[in-house]
Amino acid sequence: MIRTRFAPSPTGYMHIGNLRTALYEYFIAKHAGGKFILRIEDTDRERYVDGAVDIIYKTLETAGIKHDEGPDVGGDYGPYVQSERQNDYMKYALMLVEKGEAYYCFCTKERLDKLREDGDTGVKYDRHCLSLSKEEIEENLRNNVPFVIRQKIREGKTTFVDEVYGEVTVDNEDMEDQILIKSDGMPTYNFANVIDDHLMNITHVIRGNEYLSSTPKYNLLYEAFGWEIPTYIHVAPVMKDKHEKLSKRNGDASFQDLLKKGYLPEAIVNYITLLGWAPKENREIFTIDELIEIFDIKGISKSPAIFDPEKLRWMNGEYIKAMDFEDFYKMAESVLKNAIKTEGIDLRSVAGMVKSRVCTVYEIPEMIDFIDELPDYDKSLYKHKKMKTNEENSLDFLRLIIPVLEKAENWDNDSLYEVMVQTAKDNGLKNGQILWPVRTALSGKPTTPCGASELCVLLGKEETLKRLSEGIEILTK
Ligand code: GLU
């Protein structure tokens, strides 16, 4: 059975690149009827942030991903919090020491700093402690001299095949005898990921390609234990542009940032899945279930994907269009209430007008700001080539329609539309020659979320007539 895992570090922040990895892990497992496991990688105590684990749960839940096993739901191989598995790691590290595949290192920080400064071995550890005698080691341990445990890298070359990047070969010469257990007894990521992935029966490891070059070291560990090496799927980073990775500084980098900007979780999931993965069919909108159905490792791209906020915005707009009206209204209600101070405006009808026109609910206020107050506008707004209106004839058209609207008895959309179109017809005009000037006078804006008759209904008779007269004033100035 395919088992994948999401292994976030609780940093208090869910980068969308990380969330995308989680999605790919989820899709790959679920596509094959396998399991998706959550593992909290918190061995770096300095980076630990309170409440960060909850952010991870919340993110997965909001994104619509349900993990099968994890710190909160248990599972056969738990606990799934690395700091709670501490003893396991030490046990396995000592097994390697026993096999001659790892060794105690008692070098002080001062010695290591000096080594780095002198630069004789580059940034690599010089294997000073590899030559300690058994007696020396035992004495140090007896005297509680602080130590780390290092992997002893064998000579030769290490090759593996990554599902995305193909064959990767690294000369073992280029690898350092990396630390497996730190002086605080905690494992490094480099050690813990191997032990955990093995003990949790992970079959497919999906992670950022920054781990591609370390993977040979992990494979040497698997081999040292005699364990099966998992399938690797390394994915390229999400970029801000051609040169820079998308980072916290850019503002759009986390799931939380995007939610705050009014993007829907479904749209974010859809969009970031397509960042670095392409479906076979020429389509862009997919539900999470459809993605499970069609996800194929072969569609993952080697090259970095550029995060395009405009594209996400567009996609969000598509999701809003397709949304059930009541759900949209629930989401938009507070924004509408804040944006409209005028009494008696039917918020539901405004919601209906903007639903197909906004990409996020936060675009609503600007679109409807004319409701509370007619903005200052220039009379050139009346000019519209297609509608065949200009500053001169619009004055005539407004003068023509005002008395008709004054007399109108039924102030509803259909009746008002009818009356305006009829007036145009009776006077040998195009519909737009009446509708456009009315729309302009009522909104003072080049684009409105609805047509002239709907604007009349929205504003009510009194305000409509007031704004039409103001239109005449502006046109006669
Ligand atoms: N904790 C690591 C990270 O957040 C996980 C890498 C992996 O998936 O192995 O980058």
Side-chain angles (χ1 to χ4, degrees):
M1 184 200 281
I2 289 198
R3 289 174 60 89
T4 63
R5 86 307 192 265
F6 181 42
S9 300
T11 57
Y13 181 82
M14 181 68 76
H15 190 281
I16 56 164
N18 276 357
L19 179 59
R20 184 190 58 171
T21 308
L23 288 165
Y24 290 179
E25 286 154 352
Y26 180 67
F27 298 148
I28 290 170
K30 294 295 141 184
H31 181 83
K35 294 247 193 275
F36 168 69
I37 289 118
L38 173 63
R39 177 169 85 219
I40 306 294
E41 302 213 321
D42 61 344
T43 54
D44 191 349
R45 302 313 283 179
E46 275 162 35
R47 283 174 66 202
Y48 192 80
V49 180
D50 266 349
V53 177
D54 285 335
I55 293 183
I56 295 171
Y57 291 147
K58 188 104 199 60
T59 299
L60 295 185
E61 193 191 331
T62 312
I65 313 181
K66 214 170 154 352
H67 52 280
D68 294 302
E69 296 168 17
D72 53 339
V73 295
D76 294 343
Y77 310 98
Y80 294 81
V81 181
Q82 278 183 338
S83 60
E84 291 169 21
R85 298 168 65 90
Q86 205 174 338
N87 288 333
D88 265 4
Y89 302 116
M90 186 57 98
K91 182 178 94 192
Y92 285 101
L94 294 178
M95 269 164 68
L96 289 183
V97 173
E98 196 73 7
K99 285 170 181 263
E101 301 276 1
Y103 57 95
Y104 287 100
C105 168
F106 300 93
C107 288
T108 58
K109 185 175 174 304
E110 290 68 37
R111 178 170 189 278
L112 295 175
D113 286 347
K114 182 148 193 324
L115 198 65
R116 218 163 291 133
E117 268 162 40
D118 296 350
D120 287 348
T121 49
V123 286
K124 267 173 68 178
Y125 175 60
D126 66 353
R127 295 194 143 178
H128 175 75
C129 289
L130 185 58
S131 50
L132 293 182
S133 68
K134 213 165 166 241
E135 291 70 35
E136 282 171 305
I137 295 170
E138 270 162 18
E139 178 164 359
N140 279 342
L141 291 177
R142 226 178 301 118
N143 293 333
N144 287 328
V145 179
F147 66 85
V148 300
I149 297 181
R150 288 182 185 271
Q151 178 179 3
K152 184 180 155 198
I153 303 280
R154 281 174 256 155
E155 282 174 13
K157 284 188 194 316
T158 306
T159 297
F160 75 101
V161 177
D162 181 83
E163 293 295 307
V164 175
Y165 288 87
E167 194 174 286
V168 179
T169 301
V170 175
D171 198 331
N172 296 1
E173 272 273 296
D174 298 335
M175 300 187 225
E176 186 182 30
D177 283 356
Q178 62 177 346
I179 296 178
L180 305 178
I181 299 284
K182 296 181 275 187
S183 56
D184 61 2
M186 284 282 191
T188 53
Y189 164 79
N190 290 332
F191 191 48
N193 89 89
V194 171
I195 305 299
D196 285 346
D197 285 342
H198 170 73
L199 292 180
M200 292 176 184
N201 279 330
I202 300 303
T203 58
H204 291 62
V205 169
I206 299 114
R207 63 182 164 216
N209 71 1
E210 65 272 27
Y211 292 103
L212 198 57
S213 61
S214 309
T215 299
K217 288 196 238 184
Y218 309 149
N219 290 345
L220 289 177
L221 289 171
Y222 281 100
E223 280 167 16
F225 283 116
W227 292 342
E228 197 179 328
I229 293 175
T231 299
Y232 290 112
I233 297 152
H234 285 92
V235 293
V238 177
M239 308 290 286
K240 174 181 161 273
D241 52 36
K242 262 198 193 138
H243 312 286
E244 211 184 313
K245 278 194 195 176
L246 187 66
S247 78
K248 219 168 176 172
R249 268 177 297 129
N250 309 132
D252 274 339
S254 84
F255 186 58
Q256 293 93 327
D257 288 339
L258 297 179
L259 290 176
K260 264 190 230 134
K261 289 190 174 171
Y263 294 109
L264 298 163
E266 301 87 328
I268 303 172
V269 163
N270 189 157
Y271 177 66
I272 66 176
T273 298
L274 298 183
L275 272 180
W277 175 80
K280 283 200 200 89
E281 44 182 326
N282 191 14
R283 222 179 105 188
E284 290 183 298
I285 308 287
F286 297 98
T287 64
I288 206 159
D289 287 336
E290 287 170 330
L291 290 169
I292 291 175
E293 180 82 30
I294 61 168
F295 199 84
D296 177 4
I297 298 170
K298 289 198 190 75
I300 299 177
S301 161
K302 258 193 232 165
S303 26
I306 295 179
F307 177 80
D308 176 0
E310 258 319 296
K311 185 76 194 263
L312 171 61
R313 209 186 131 247
W314 167 81
M315 197 172 270
N316 207 61
E318 294 301 301
Y319 273 83
I320 287 184
K321 275 190 205 125
M323 224 173 165
D324 175 70
F325 177 76
E326 288 307 321
D327 291 339
F328 175 70
Y329 187 65
K330 234 181 268 158
M331 188 170 82
E333 195 178 7
S334 63
V335 177
L336 286 163
K337 278 190 178 145
N338 271 328
I340 303 174
K341 298 280 171 273
T342 310
E343 297 275 317
I345 297 288
D346 179 4
L347 296 186
R348 296 178 74 84
S349 86
V350 179
M353 289 169 189
V354 296
K355 182 171 178 282
S356 61
R357 291 179 166 85
V358 290
C359 290
T360 76
V361 289
Y362 300 119
E363 291 176 9
I364 298 175
E366 206 202 315
M367 189 167 279
I368 59 166
D369 57 1
F370 66 90
I371 297 179
D372 278 354
E373 200 177 338
L374 184 67
D376 283 335
Y377 66 94
D378 191 82
K379 58 181 166 184
S380 60
L381 262 193
Y382 284 93
K383 201 156 62 192
H384 195 299
K385 210 165 160 204
K386 211 168 122 222
M387 304 290 179
K388 295 206 181 330
T389 57
N390 56 42
E391 293 156 28
E392 288 78 41
N393 65 11
S394 290
L395 184 59
D396 299 335
F397 302 149
L398 283 186
R399 282 187 171 140
L400 190 60
I401 199 66
I402 290 176
V404 177
L405 291 176
E406 267 168 353
K407 272 192 260 117
E409 278 168 17
N410 296 326
W411 203 260
D412 61 79
N413 190 28
D414 289 347
S415 314
L416 289 165
Y417 184 76
E418 192 52 40
V419 122
M420 287 195 265
V421 166
Q422 193 58 46
T423 308
K425 201 167 165 204
D426 293 347
N427 290 278
L429 304 174
K430 287 168 73 79
N431 292 348
Q433 290 181 300
I434 294 292
L435 299 174
W436 183 257
V438 169
R439 188 164 149 168
T440 306
L442 295 186
S443 68
K445 297 186 82 146
T447 53
T448 53
C450 59
S453 51
E454 285 164 298
L455 285 174
C456 295
V457 178
L458 183 67
L459 296 170
K461 190 166 184 175
E462 195 184 326
E463 183 67 16
T464 298
L465 293 172
K466 187 171 152 247
R467 291 190 184 191
L468 292 174
S469 315
E470 278 171 26
I472 301 233
E473 268 171 46
I474 290 170
L475 283 165
T476 42
K477 251 187 229 158

